[in-house]
Amino acid sequence: MDPLSLSARRGDALKTSFASGMPPEQPADMPVQSLSCAAEHVRQHTSSLAIRRWWVLGGAVLLSLWGVYEMYSVLSFAGLTFIEYIVLALFSLTFSWITVAFTGAIAGFLTVWKRALLGRSRTMPPSVSKTAVLMPTYNESPERVFAAIETMSRGILSTGQGQAFDWFVISDTTDPQIAIAEEIAFAALRERLGDQSISVYYRRRNRNIARKAGNVADFCRRWGGGYEYLLVLDADSLMEASTMLELVRRMQADPDAGLIQTIPRLINGTTIMARLQQFATRVYGPVMGTGLSWWTQNEGNFWGHNAIIRTQAFMQSAGLPDLKGKPPFGGHILSHDFVEAALLRRAGWKVLIADDLEGSYEECPPSIVDLAIRDRRWCQGNLQHSRVLPTKGLHWISRIHLMTGIMSYLSSPLWLLLILSGLALALQAQFIRPEYFSGEFSLFPSWPRMDAAKALNLFIFTMLILFTPKILGLIAFIRHSAACRAVGGISRLLVSFVVEVVLSALVAPVMMLIHSGAVLSIFLGRDAGWNPQRREDGSLPIRELIYRHRWHMIMGVFLTIAAGLNSTALLAWLSPAIAGMLLSVPLSMVTSDQKVGERLKQWGILRTPEEVSQPDVQRAMLPIRAEYDALIASSPSFRDFLKEPRWQALHCNLMDVPTALRKGEVDALEVVAREKLSQAETLTEALHYLTQPELARVVSNRQLFIQLSQLPEELCENVHHAFAQPESANVG
């Protein structure tokens, strides 16, 4: 018997509001853009101030030329050897990479300082155009996702603009247990909101085509015709109601704006690693972000979330093509945001960074390991941009954004090669002259073929370039007296600054090796896959940490032995990099431990103003999150879900329409799952036969789901849970 009829007969059916999780479709065309031909429809480009680019980029070029010339003078004291040529080339690439951050930070610092003097008022729009708020999710915590949606939607309702916003959780979840938890949380959300003027919807795709970008594109093609704007969030996003309304107001006030990106602040960090990132983005971030916004102007960038998009502009000009070939360089574009921003600007739409707009928040990875997992995917996506760089018609600033993404990961293997080349240079010098180092200890070796005085000047200059953005950010933060008092005053802030610098210096060589390994694996043809991100606890067993950091420790031992055999001075010179590698396991353990992070929080170290006085939206979410936590904790297991008619009815009503297959295309997972179900005589057998990906396909198919739910129970109660096995194993 169909579970829907059974549910109705028993009187257990849910409210009629669950007849569907989504509103009626309002389809619109979203053509795939060509990368080999210029855009067909191009608006007249609004110009940006060239003087700003001359200041930031021109200044960076001059600094780079000076630094490279100084390094050449150091190395060419008595002629260049082959290894010295390599060192010079690597230094040129890595040094030039950091000069743009230096000049941009100066521009950002001056802008922030001026803004603090003048202030800025904000006006609310009298009426708001229809806006869809999208929260994509992939195997994330349903408690957090739906608590955030309820909190933000209630905030908008309190402004009187509730009718202008529709809220969508668009899920790509593949874990069946999380999928049913999402449905239960959605049912609770609608029941909690009741008859209030808040429209919330839920849709889980049955096939995860093109990941997050494909998820948003699917929404646009099916429902985008009904909305003027899309406000795109992430599963860990929070945004104040006033910030959302201001984004809409700015869109309405500027008909040329295609996308406005906020600069999210990090919150909810509990581990040292998360709080390091929070502190850095809160203290240094405003200067860096404002500088980027100042010089890019209408050619800003998109970071994939916490941004508002003009729906028509996005659909007409930002449909992503698949790249030729197989992953990791071919296939779906992973880091879609940079490319979408570039395509919007190619079509003549402004892409703006709202550096002055507060009230936008997100969370961050809690450990070095979680950073590595996330960055592996980002690394592949950014290296894919090498295939997008030649795209016809892109603005040259958009190409710089793409190149910046590429270099953010290529710079790590370049730094590693520079260290190894410097070590080789020291060994060469020792081979040429046995008395390589003088008897007196000095920070710099007295290389026979180098100008030691110029080397010292170059080192000081390089450190100035590296640390100026942080120092300017610190000064600007101190200038904001309320924020400075909130974190404990100047003395506590300076202690946090030192802690951040030291810990970041220790983590940096580990991340350099992680990124270098990611780049190598991509060039070897290994695809990153798609893994959900942990948001809170980042701890791992010591054995797993040793395994994950084994190559980092081996590299540290190698550099220690190689430098130590040369001289103690060279060992001291390399010690900042070596220390992080050798200590990678305890460093990873300590920085991911919530208890240690909580202790530093109690001491006021790495404190941010948002920790002292929580943002309104974060504070409002706390009791709501607690209720969703309790709801999910008491929700039925998947096995019970299958046998409960009201949950069967809910699931069938919320199912997405089947994804149409192209002619000649076969869904192999569905075919195998259907055959296994036909052979199963009991529910236990079916759950034993089906792997987790196959079970996910069953859950997404109405006919197969009903077939599974109608199988008789196994008499033996001692069965394994359906989700205790890894994907590669049968589910039992």
Side-chain angles (χ1 to χ4, degrees), residues 131-135 149 165-169 230-233 244:
T131 302
V133 184
L134 306 183
M135 181 173 278
I149 287 289
F165 289 81
D166 286 353
W167 303 79
F168 295 86
V169 176
L230 304 175
L231 207 165
V232 182
L233 304 175
M244 293 188 241

Side-chain angles (χ1 to χ4, degrees), residues 107-119:
F109 174 77
L110 296 175
T111 305
V112 168
W113 195 277
K114 180 180 178 181
R115 184 180 298 151
L117 295 175
L118 298 178

Side-chain angles (χ1 to χ4, degrees), residues 30 216 220 309-319 340 344:
M30 187 174 181
V216 174
C220 289
I309 303 171
R310 192 177 301 274
T311 311
Q312 180 186 13
F314 185 74
M315 295 181 66
Q316 287 180 350
S317 59
E340 289 162 345
L344 278 168

Side-chain angles (χ1 to χ4, degrees), residues 279 477 482-490 492-493 496 604 607-609 612:
F279 181 84
F477 190 86
C484 187
R485 286 195 301 271
V487 300
I490 294 178
R492 190 66 58 86
L493 176 64
S496 297
R607 179 183 292 166
T608 63
V612 178

Side-chain angles (χ1 to χ4, degrees), residues 16 64 231 255 407 435 445 449 550:
T16 55
S64 299
L231 207 165
M407 279 299 298
E435 297 296 330
R449 297 179 176 269
R550 64 195 185 283

Side-chain angles (χ1 to χ4, degrees), residues 445-456:
S446 302
W447 291 331
R449 297 179 176 269
M450 297 181 186
D451 189 324
K454 286 191 174 183
L456 179 60

